[in-house]
Structures are given as structure tokens and as C-alpha cells.
Amino acid sequence: MNSEKLKIAVLGGTGNIGEGMVLRLALQNLMPEGVKNEIIIGSRSLETAEEAAKKALSELENCGFDTSGIKITGMNNFEAAKAAEMAILTIRFDHVLPLLEEIKETLENKIVISPVVPMVKEGSFMAYRPPAEGSAALAIQKNVPETTKVVAAFHNIPADVVKCKAVHDALVCSDDEEAKKLVMELTRHMGCLKPLDGGPLKQAATMESLTPLLINLAKLNGLKDLGINFS
Amino acid sequence: MNSEKLKIAVLGGTGNIGEGMVLRLALQNLMPEGVKNEIIIGSRSLETAEEAAKKALSELENCGFDTSGIKITGMNNFEAAKAAEMAILTIRFDHVLPLLEEIKETLENKIVISPVVPMVKEGSFMAYRPPAEGSAALAIQKNVPETTKVVAAFHNIPADVVKCKAVHDALVCSDDEEAKKLVMELTRHMGCLKPLDGGPLKQAATMESLTPLLINLAKLNGLKDLGINFS
């Protein structure tokens, strides 16, 4: 995958988290050491996906970036997953399993990245509410082909693509060492993030639970844009 | 409790974590803004507790501290809990419930602090293994009188009492706001720790799970003395 562009499907790439992900991935093409990639935004509707792709490109142009080496297209989720070598699930947990049911057959031998955090509002706090499997990542693993390599990553992507207040640690978990390394490499060039090896996929529950923790701590202690650092 | 010394029982104060806790609490008496306290080390055997108290005092003296204003005594667990206003459970999770059964009646209206992390070794990693209640803190709450205020805190105390490589954030959870504030104040003068309000006690599961996460991250990424910062 080194000499060619890695084809990445951002499924749910028309939502807030997906949009930020698309921009961060696209910008890697402009960095000397970034992972070269081609982005396919996936959505339930082809039109919405195509519009999101145009919007992402024009946002990059408006920021003054040279987009001639950047390729972002839109497809429906099935075609996006089929065309890509890697799929990132930037969708809510309750939409994940129905989507996997729909695209499962396209995922043989591919990498599926889960930034998914199953959480609910409980009173004035967010609570982590993992499924019976123990985490979203493990539930996803159960619902994809055996040859699919599931990686848990990108649970806490800084909101702002350009401004970088501080570099935060970002945990990456997987049972497949090669897939984990590739995703850590993507993370390294994603802006404001330093990848840390989080170990096997079963460690994903704690990673996922950090997102509601950060939201609660920000609220309880009057803090903003919280990230996490292990040092 | 402001004008007088707070009586604190460190139950299991003869183990490694207990010893560090005792020294950190004792040193607060020498700090202008530290929480003044009197420490009672609890152990299954009175002799072991008394020896640990003498050892702690002589360690402080050996470091050159003036121990004339520091009081550390040893008692068996029941007497220690009975004499104190606050009890810290520096023992392994599998010893917690039997101990509570033994001392329960002494805990009415008192603060019980849980730094307890239920974890097991699973292959080459540590895994968080909370009880059915959801966390050690919630299991403890279920096994003390209704008037006892349970606070989850001190899960990641830096190993070295004197050297402070970095200041780490320390989460404190409780359903009792007053007890939480007092424990946050203790934390503030514990050396190398900055207290953060972690919210109600049911949030303790994520806090507890950070300890095995830190141990695993240190091992996986070749790092040492890991702490955590939210920023």
C-alpha cells in the first residue's frame, strides 16, 4: 500500500465527525510523511455523499490548500465500502449493526476502523453503555467476516481541523498488528494526535469509555476541548 | 473538621500502597495549606500495625522531616476504623468485602475512600474486572451503612513520595458533595496530584479502569511511571 494511494471509505462521512475525519485524511496528501489516500465518502444517499465530497474539496480550497493531488468522491455506503481498502465507521452506535448487515459482504480482508462510542445521557452526565460484547469494537468484530481486521481508533478527534491547541495521545487497539500499525501511521499525521499502541481489541472498552469521561470532566470542572495525555 | 486534626484510618496501611498513602498524608501536617491529620494504620494484627507506624515515622525522620507534629499509630482494623472519621481501603478488592463485614458497624456517618481497582492478569495484559455492581466503589457502597459517604479516589498514586516528575490529574467521585470536596483537598496536598471533580460515584468504573489501562500502555509503548492528564 506504500507506493499507491490507500482507498479509504468514510461511512457516515456526511455527519460532523465524518466531515472532520475526511478533511484530516485529505490533508495527509499534502504532508511529506502523510499517508497518501483517496477518500470515498459513504452515505445512505448517493446525492448526499456527492455533495459532501464537493463541500469538503471546496472547504480545503477556501482554506488555500492545493487540492489538485486530493481525491474525494461520494458513493452510497455499499459502493463506498466495496471500492475501498479501509472503512471508517463515523456513525452512531445504534446505526452500526444495521449498516454492517448491509455492507458485510464487501468487507472481506479489509480494515474496519471503529471510532464508535456507545453512550447515553443519564441525568446531567454522559454514561458509557457498551453492548453485551463488552465494547462497540467487539460488537463490530462479531458482525463482520472473519478476515476483516477491526481497529478501534479516533474516539477523540479534536474538533478543529486547523487550530492545534495541544497534542493529545490517541489509543489504537487491534488484534491485527499490521492493521494497527497502519492506523497508528494515519493517526500520526492527523494533526494534534500522537498515536499510542493500545493493545488487543478487547482493550477497546476502556478507550471508548474515555469519551463520556472527557465530556463529564469538562462539564464538572469548567474546562474546554479536553483531550488526554499519558505521561 | 477544620480546627482539629482529621483522624484517618489507613486500612491495609502495612502494604505498599498503604505505606505511600500514610507518608503522603503525614507530610500534609508540615504544609501550610495541607489538611492536618492524625493517621491510624489498620492491619489484621495489632503488632504489624504498630510496627508499620513506627517504620513510617522513622522513614520521615530519616528524610529529615520534623515529626514532632505528626501522629501515626497502629491498631487492628476494627479499632482503627472505630477511632477514625475517615477510612481509606488500601487493600486488594478480594479482601474488601470481608473487611467491610468485620468493621461495618464502625462506619456510620463516616467517609470511606476507595482507591480499590479490581483487576486481573489476562495473558500479558491487565484487565479491569469490576464486580456485578459495576465498580469496586459501588460494591463498597452496597456493603456499608446508608449514612457512610463513599468516595472513589487515589487510584493512581505516584510511586515515589518525594520525587515529583510531573503533576497528574486525579479524579475524585462521590455522591456526597462535602465528602468529595474534603477528599479533593487531601489530594491537592498529596504531592504531584491535581484533583478533578469526577462526578457521582457511579462514574467510578471508568476511573478504576484507568489503572490497568496505564499499566498496559506503559508496557506496550515502553514508557515508565505513566500518569494521566486531561487538558
Side-chain angles (χ1 to χ4, degrees), chain A residues 125 220, chain B residues 174-184 197 199-200:
Chain A
F125 298 105
L220 281 159
Chain B
S174 182
D175 293 335
D176 186 285
E177 286 301 317
E178 206 182 324
K180 181 161 68 178
K181 268 187 201 156
L182 179 58
V183 176
M184 287 178 76
D197 185 341

Side-chain angles (χ1 to χ4, degrees), chain B residues 163-174:
Chain B
K163 285 179 215 152
C164 183
K165 264 182 42 180
V167 174
H168 292 127
D169 290 333
L171 304 182
V172 182
C173 292
S174 182

Side-chain angles (χ1 to χ4, degrees), chain B residues 84-85 103-111 144-149:
Chain B
E85 293 139 328
I103 65 168
K104 198 184 286 190
E105 61 188 273
T106 70
L107 299 177
E108 291 279 359
N109 295 304
K110 294 182 182 175
I111 295 172
V144 294
E146 266 189 39
T147 58
T148 305
K149 298 143 198 166

